[in-house]
Amino acid sequence: MRRSRNKKHAWVIWMTTIVFTLSLVGCAASPEATKTDKKEASANTASSKTLTMAFAWSPASLDPHGSDSWEIMRSGVGETLVKLNEQLEPKPWLAKEWKQENETTWVFTLQENVRFHNGKKMDAESVKNSLLRSIEKDQKAKDLLQVKSIEILAPNQLKIVTDQPNAALIPHLADPSTIIVDTETIENKLSYPALTGAFKIKKFNKDESLVVERYEDYWGEKARLSKVTIKYIADGNTRLMALQSGDVDAATDIPVDSIELLKKDKNIEVLTAPSLRTHMLLFNMKSPLFKELAYRKVVDMSIPRKAIVSSVMKGEGTEAKSPFAEVLPFGKVEKVKETQTIDQLMKQGGWEKNAKGIWEKQGKPFEVKMLTFPQRPELSVMAEIIQNELLKAGIQVKLRQVENIDEVLANEDWDLSMYSMLTAHTGDPQYFLNIFYRSTSESNVSHYVSPALDSMIDQLNQTSDATKRNGLAVEIQEQINQDLPQSFIVHPKTIFAVRSGVKGFTPLPIEYYYNNAQADVKK
């Protein structure tokens, strides 16, 4: 009996050993299985990657229709019907295609597989509601689009009719003021606006941060990052220190004077791109002095553009010859050199230099007021350089820094002012020329009146052919340079910086697409 039990016990041990051995064999993965497991592990790691960015400007709200539309677009959550590529050409985005039926009528066919962040399908009705709301809420959208009516032709097709010929309608539909949103979600206090981008809003702390996460049902290429935290840091040096310390992985609008320091840091890469911005000096053409072209010429001739690009911009910019940067197809404008000297121009106006070397007439010195503002520190430095050069030429300049430059320009007396404008924010000249130079425009801060230029702008508005439009834009700039309502100083570069391993966070001439689906980081 005992022998039988021992045999049985031995048999159980033997079977247990075989089963255990087989289980080990089964657990030993084949090369193919190992590769599959590694791929899955890699995918899981990639899907959970995050990034922290520092932006300079914070939105007051997440309403995409209004003054905060640019920041909504930059966060990667919003999209428009049209997108501008790196060459600033309009390409399909939420609109799959379009055609022009006549000079005021356009038909748009929409992408059919787009869903808002709340899961609702985007269709012609929701796009119509969104565009009409943007026009109602934002004067810029109204001016850009000039819409008379929007008609739904099919579930994914709509017709836009403009009040007058608007040859720039297509690039203007890339402006962030026209972001497409499910309008029913904007006023809902229990949720965030439902947009269509590769990222959706997760959490917003006003003036502090915005957290966005990958939208898994996105209609296009899925975001490579699962979450992006955008910190709003207004001060450039503070933004820089956050990058250096590793509190953020990437930062926009890096101060120019910090570039050399960053380039010495092996853990940080500085990224630059030509911008569509122009730093300029405004003349008040209602000023008793600068209503005269000769004195505007004197100031323009005294601006040391080459030295400013070298010393103030550290080489990160180009000398400006016109309102538009040379990166644009209509930006290559040759400036005619003045044939008369400063002394000749001043003496023709009856001015004589006094014992101190200052131009004087009837006992009064040639003295002017120049405004500047702190939000763009490089402009204040430029103002001091120009002040010094004008003093050498015999003109006294009193500098005044103001907090709200646009308010002071509109409501107070001034002679000269530093200013900065993004002059072709849709890659097209039409909008800027209409608001900044048309005689009747409230945004014509220099009070420049030219019926001839108004007529040329009208012609541009109605010209569809790209080559002819570019030619007209050049002619308009030549007229502006001749009349000189502003002196154009420099086209600055856009400057970003990222920590090692960050990819796809790239500055472009257009300032819209900061966070995007291609943004990535090696962990």
Side-chain angles (χ1 to χ4, degrees):
M1 201 65 181
R2 178 176 294 183
R3 187 175 180 184
S4 176
R5 283 199 302 268
N6 289 341
K7 284 184 177 180
K8 183 177 181 182
H9 181 66
W11 180 81
V12 170
I13 292 174
W14 179 73
M15 288 298 296
T16 302
T17 302
I18 291 175
V19 170
F20 179 71
T21 303
L22 289 174
S23 68
L24 288 177
V25 172
C27 289
S30 66
E32 291 77 11
T34 301
K35 289 179 182 178
T36 301
D37 290 344
K38 286 183 178 179
K39 286 182 180 179
E40 289 178 356
S42 176
N44 289 334
T45 302
S47 67
S48 62
K49 288 190 291 187
T50 65
L51 197 68
T52 301
M53 303 175 177
F55 287 6
W57 307 95
S58 171
S61 77
L62 296 180
D63 188 336
H65 297 152
S67 59
D68 296 312
S69 61
W70 283 48
E71 301 312 318
I72 305 303
M73 178 73 86
R74 288 168 172 173
S75 71
V77 301
E79 297 175 315
T80 48
L81 294 182
V82 178
K83 186 174 186 178
L84 300 178
N85 65 11
E86 292 188 26
Q87 289 72 45
L88 306 175
E89 301 165 331
K91 297 296 180 182
W93 208 4
L94 293 178
K96 183 165 59 176
E97 59 185 12
W98 53 81
K99 63 179 180 179
Q100 186 175 12
E101 291 190 338
N102 55 55
E103 61 181 9
T104 59
T105 305
W106 300 76
V107 174
F108 293 83
T109 302
L110 307 174
Q111 303 283 359
E112 296 182 358
N113 58 340
V114 179
R115 291 192 177 276
F116 291 106
H117 294 155
N118 59 356
K120 178 181 175 181
K121 183 177 175 61
M122 185 195 79
D123 57 14
E125 182 179 6
S126 57
V127 170
K128 175 183 176 180
N129 292 339
S130 184
L131 289 176
L132 290 178
R133 185 180 186 276
S134 68
I135 293 167
E136 176 190 352
K137 294 288 183 179
D138 192 343
Q139 182 64 40
K140 183 172 70 170
K142 184 176 181 180
D143 293 341
L144 284 168
L145 304 185
Q146 301 171 18
V147 167
K148 180 179 181 180
S149 65
I150 301 178
E151 178 185 352
I152 297 173
L153 302 180
N156 71 322
Q157 195 173 67
L158 50 79
K159 178 191 293 185
I160 296 180
V161 180
T162 57
D163 286 316
Q164 56 194 22
N166 183 2
L169 178 65
I170 299 305
H172 285 177
L173 282 167
D175 186 87
S177 65
T178 68
I179 285 174
I180 303 303
V181 60
D182 179 1
T183 57
E184 294 179 357
T185 65
I186 296 179
E187 304 300 332
N188 188 344
K189 296 181 180 180
L190 299 177
S191 64
Y192 294 118
L195 298 113
T196 64
F199 294 89
K200 66 177 182 178
I201 301 165
K202 183 177 183 180
K203 187 178 182 180
F204 176 56
N205 292 315
K206 185 180 176 183
D207 298 326
E208 294 182 12
S209 65
L210 172 65
V211 180
V212 300
E213 60 186 359
R214 179 173 51 231
Y215 182 41
E216 299 297 345
D217 292 328
Y218 182 57
W219 64 277
E221 178 187 352
K222 299 290 191 298
R224 299 177 185 180
L225 298 169
S226 64
K227 185 177 74 172
V228 174
T229 299
I230 299 168
K231 294 185 177 181
Y232 298 113
I233 306 174
D235 181 74
N237 290 324
T238 306
R239 207 161 48 249
L240 180 66
M241 288 188 289
L243 181 70
Q244 291 173 311
S245 67
D247 286 346
V248 302
D249 304 297
T252 66
D253 304 297
I254 296 298
V256 173
D257 55 6
S258 302
I259 290 179
E260 291 305 316
L261 176 65
L262 287 181
K263 286 182 177 178
K264 296 176 182 178
D265 190 331
K266 63 180 181 180
N267 296 315
I268 294 175
E269 181 181 4
V270 176
L271 308 170
T272 65
S275 78
L276 304 183
R277 183 170 293 280
T278 303
H279 293 336
M280 64 185 78
L281 181 67
L282 306 179
F283 296 103
N284 184 355
M285 296 182 70
K286 287 186 176 181
S287 162
L289 292 171
F290 292 120
K291 65 182 181 181
E292 300 293 337
L293 175 60
Y295 308 141
R296 301 199 296 273
K297 286 182 177 180
V298 167
V299 172
D300 185 72
M301 293 165 64
S302 301
I303 298 174
R305 291 172 176 81
K306 186 175 182 179
I308 286 174
V309 170
S310 174
S311 62
V312 180
M313 302 305 298
K314 309 297 182 185
E316 301 296 339
T318 57
E319 296 180 50
K321 300 176 183 176
S322 70
F324 300 114
E326 291 191 4
V327 68
L328 294 157
F330 47 85
K332 293 177 174 60
V333 177
E334 290 301 321
K335 190 173 181 180
V336 178
K337 188 175 181 180
E338 177 57 43
T339 57
Q340 292 182 288
T341 66
I342 290 177
D343 282 5
Q344 288 173 333
L345 290 168
M346 294 300 292
K347 287 179 179 179
Q348 286 174 9
W351 296 87
E352 295 291 338
K353 279 190 175 179
N354 61 23
K356 295 182 179 180
I358 301 300
W359 292 105
E360 193 175 81
K361 183 195 289 188
Q362 297 176 351
K364 292 184 178 181
F366 197 112
E367 185 176 275
V368 297
K369 293 178 287 187
M370 183 192 294
L371 304 177
T372 186
F373 53 98
Q375 286 84 352
R376 294 191 178 276
E378 67 271 26
L379 295 186
S380 295
V381 180
M382 291 180 198
E384 292 175 359
I385 292 173
I386 294 169
Q387 177 191 40
N388 188 53
E389 291 298 318
L390 287 173
L391 184 60
K392 292 178 184 177
I395 294 174
Q396 292 180 327
V397 177
K398 289 187 175 181
L399 285 179
R400 178 189 168 200
Q401 188 170 93
V402 300
E403 285 296 324
N404 191 326
I405 185 65
D406 291 305
E407 184 177 309
V408 175
L409 290 175
N411 299 309
E412 298 185 25
D413 292 331
W414 56 279
D415 299 303
L416 300 168
S417 181
M418 300 302 298
Y419 209 63
S420 182
M421 285 285 287
L422 196 63
T423 58
H425 72 290
T426 62
D428 186 271
Q430 181 174 309
Y431 178 69
F432 176 73
L433 293 175
N434 274 275
I435 66 162
F436 209 66
Y437 292 105
R438 186 174 288 284
S439 302
T440 56
S441 172
E442 293 182 1
S443 299
N444 183 344
V445 289
S446 288
H447 309 293
Y448 170 49
V449 177
S450 171
L453 197 74
D454 288 344
S455 178
M456 296 169 74
I457 292 173
D458 286 338
Q459 187 179 355
L460 176 74
N461 294 345
Q462 300 177 41
T463 301
S464 298
D465 181 81
T467 302
K468 291 181 180 178
R469 283 178 67 79
N470 291 341
L472 275 169
V474 170
E475 290 178 21
I476 290 171
Q477 290 172 88
E478 290 171 346
Q479 183 67 50
I480 290 169
N481 281 342
Q482 181 178 317
D483 295 341
L484 209 62
Q486 298 92 27
S487 283
F488 309 105
I489 303 172
V490 61
H491 301 300
K493 287 185 178 180
T494 299
I495 307 171
F496 288 2
V498 299
R499 295 191 66 81
S500 299
V502 176
K503 304 295 180 185
F505 184 68
T506 308
L508 299 169
I510 208 72
E511 297 181 10
Y512 300 163
Y513 315 121
Y514 285 3
N515 184 33
N516 57 78
Q518 289 77 41
D520 199 1
V521 62
K522 291 182 179 179
K523 293 291 187 181

